[in-house]
Amino acid sequence: MTLGASALLFPAVAASGVSGEDYILAKAALLIVVPLIAVFLVRGSVAVSAERAAWRWWAPAIAIAVWAILRSMVDSSPDYSGVDATTLLIAATATAVTAGFGEELFYRRLLQTRLEALLSPWAGTTIATAAFALMHLGSHATGDLLFDTASVIVVQGSFGLLMGVIWMRFRNFTAIVTAHVLANGWPSIVWHVLAR
């Protein structure tokens, strides 16, 4: 119940125009703190088990590497020349914590796992992926709701589906968090490499 409320409430907060520090605090509260407290209070209701095997690392790494190569073919590098290094580092760190870690914790580890147990692995993955994609409506809005919805479903939804399938299949939280941190940091990394 609490996870569903957070999944609905955060996009509404993001769409309300909240930005900067308030956006980061809202995301941390609604996608990390509140869900962790809720799950702690009912701990043991859903267990995550996975084999300890090398393929849990190399198989997701191959899928993520293929995705990264495909993304680099279609993604343009932004210009960060007007942003000082300290601001860029603070923004990158906040994004890594709230998006890379927080979104994977909430949408995959907490929400998807419970939806899989309640419905089925594919249904849980699909619903969590849709919630993940639609969550980006507030932060990726252009004002055209139809275009924005299609855009987040294609762009964030495809990435969310990749992370969801990797979580469903391999239960490797470190791999999906690493992939998400790199995905969000990729434009900055490319800009730093090409700008030097």
Side-chain angles (χ1 to χ4, degrees):
M1 186 72 133
T2 303
L3 297 180
S6 285
L8 294 173
L9 188 56
F10 178 70
V13 169
S16 73
V18 69
S19 62
E21 290 177 12
D22 292 337
Y23 177 84
I24 292 168
L25 290 173
K27 186 179 245 187
L30 293 172
L31 298 186
I32 300 173
V33 176
V34 170
L36 282 177
I37 291 169
V39 169
F40 178 77
L41 293 174
V42 292
R43 63 186 172 271
S45 61
V46 176
V48 174
S49 61
E51 295 178 42
R52 293 190 173 273
W55 60 267
R56 286 188 56 240
W57 289 96
W58 61 258
I62 291 170
I64 292 165
V66 168
W67 173 85
I69 291 166
L70 293 172
R71 179 180 177 180
S72 69
M73 292 178 184
V74 298
D75 206 0
S76 61
S77 179
D79 181 7
Y80 292 114
S81 59
V83 181
D84 69 275
T86 303
T87 301
L88 194 57
L89 179 62
I90 291 169
T93 302
T95 300
V97 172
T98 61
F101 174 76
E103 290 174 11
E104 292 308 318
L105 173 71
F106 180 76
Y107 289 100
R108 255 59 77 181
R109 176 69 177 82
L110 301 177
L111 184 63
Q112 179 178 322
T113 301
R114 279 149 185 80
L115 289 171
E116 287 178 21
L118 183 65
L119 304 170
S120 74
W122 279 106
T125 301
T126 302
I127 293 167
T129 296
F132 172 78
L134 295 173
M135 177 269 299
H136 289 86
L137 275 173
S139 59
H140 292 74
T142 64
D144 181 344
L145 184 60
L146 185 59
F147 172 80
D148 292 344
T149 303
S151 178
V152 298
I153 288 172
V154 170
V155 178
Q156 283 75 23
S158 62
F159 178 73
L161 183 60
L162 174 64
M163 295 300 98
V165 170
I166 289 173
W167 175 248
M168 176 181 64
R169 178 69 182 98
F170 303 106
R171 291 299 197 238
N172 189 326
F173 188 66
T174 303
I176 60 176
V177 168
T178 302
H180 200 143
V181 168
L182 289 174
N184 287 341
W186 187 254
S188 176
I189 294 166
V190 169
W191 182 82
H192 276 82
V193 169
L194 296 178
R196 305 277 178 231

